[in-house]
Amino acid sequence: ADINSTIFALKECFRVMRAKKGQPPFRESMLTRVLSDAFMSETSKIVAIGTIAPLSGDTEHTVSTLRSLQMLQGTTMASEQREDVVKERSNVVKHPRTWSEDDVARWLENALRGRALACLQRLPRGTDGKILCRWPLSRFNQLCDNKQLGNLLFQDLRLHMNGKDICHPKTAHNHRP
């Protein structure tokens, strides 16, 4: 919060100096107090440097930084071109808690190299990842009608919740929803 008030005070000093009306509010922050001599000197040059990022996910912050720098300079963008930026989803693994009902079904089809496929028929409608993650071990045993398979399925889900894979670590992305 302190940094925001300092930046605001700095912007206000620039705005008043550009307008050449009134006294810049140097006392608003420690930074503007320290820079007051540089602001008022006719021989000093003031440079503002903005850090921007090349990633598409940082576009909003980059544009905001550029607009702030232009505001400090007293200019505006000559033209503005808008473009929707789509974030790439490269091997993003969703936590089981966020799985949809279809994701849960896909997981059951592929879990334990297909051995849990029979359990899919007994899966109650509306079972999404949020519900599935709350199930105790006994519920998995009941679903699979087989204690050993239920235990393995329970363990597989817990490993998915921890970001690991029980079958093939190298091909984990192949059977995760």
Side-chain angles (χ1 to χ4, degrees):
D2 197 29
I3 187 78
N4 290 335
S5 62
T6 299
I7 291 171
F8 179 75
L10 187 62
K11 287 180 182 180
E12 282 300 301
C13 287
F14 275 105
R15 187 184 61 75
V16 170
M17 287 174 19
R18 248 192 346 272
K20 296 184 181 180
K21 295 180 182 175
Q23 176 70 25
F26 296 126
R27 294 184 180 169
E28 295 292 319
S29 79
M30 183 60 76
L31 177 65
T32 53
R33 276 186 235 151
V34 169
L35 295 175
S36 64
D37 290 338
F39 282 133
M40 299 310 285
S41 172
E42 293 181 19
T43 60
S44 65
K45 301 265 184 195
I46 298 174
V47 177
I49 298 173
T51 305
I52 60 173
L55 300 175
S56 63
D58 296 322
T59 303
E60 184 178 337
H61 298 290
T62 296
V63 170
S64 177
T65 299
L66 292 173
R67 284 192 178 131
S68 294
L69 289 171
Q70 284 184 321
M71 194 280 311
L72 291 174
Q73 185 182 8
T75 62
T76 57
M77 287 186 185
S79 67
E80 188 172 313
Q81 183 178 4
R82 294 185 178 258
E83 180 181 330
D84 288 336
V85 177
V86 179
K87 288 187 177 182
E88 296 178 19
R89 293 180 178 235
S90 58
N91 293 334
V92 174
V93 178
K94 294 180 356 180
H95 189 279
R97 192 176 28 237
T98 64
W99 290 352
S100 67
E101 187 175 351
D102 292 335
D103 291 335
V104 170
R106 272 193 300 276
W107 171 71
L108 272 175
E109 287 172 359
N110 297 310
L112 307 175
R113 298 183 185 136
R115 290 180 19 213
L117 185 59
C119 304
L120 183 59
Q121 296 169 350
R122 290 187 288 278
L123 184 70
R125 284 191 103 156
T127 304
D128 60 8
K130 193 173 184 181
I131 294 170
L132 191 69
C133 287
R134 293 181 184 168
W135 280 9
L137 175 60
S138 59
R139 183 66 182 95
F140 281 91
N141 293 338
Q142 180 184 13
L143 174 73
C144 296
D145 199 25
N146 176 329
K147 191 172 184 177
Q148 183 182 6
L149 186 59
N151 286 341
L152 289 172
L153 197 58
F154 180 79
Q155 289 173 5
D156 187 58
L157 179 65
R158 293 299 176 247
L159 288 171
H160 278 289
M161 291 170 68
N162 293 324
K164 298 174 184 166
D165 186 15
I166 195 169
C167 296
H168 295 289
K170 292 180 182 174
T171 59
H173 62 277
N174 289 341
H175 75 276
R176 285 188 179 178

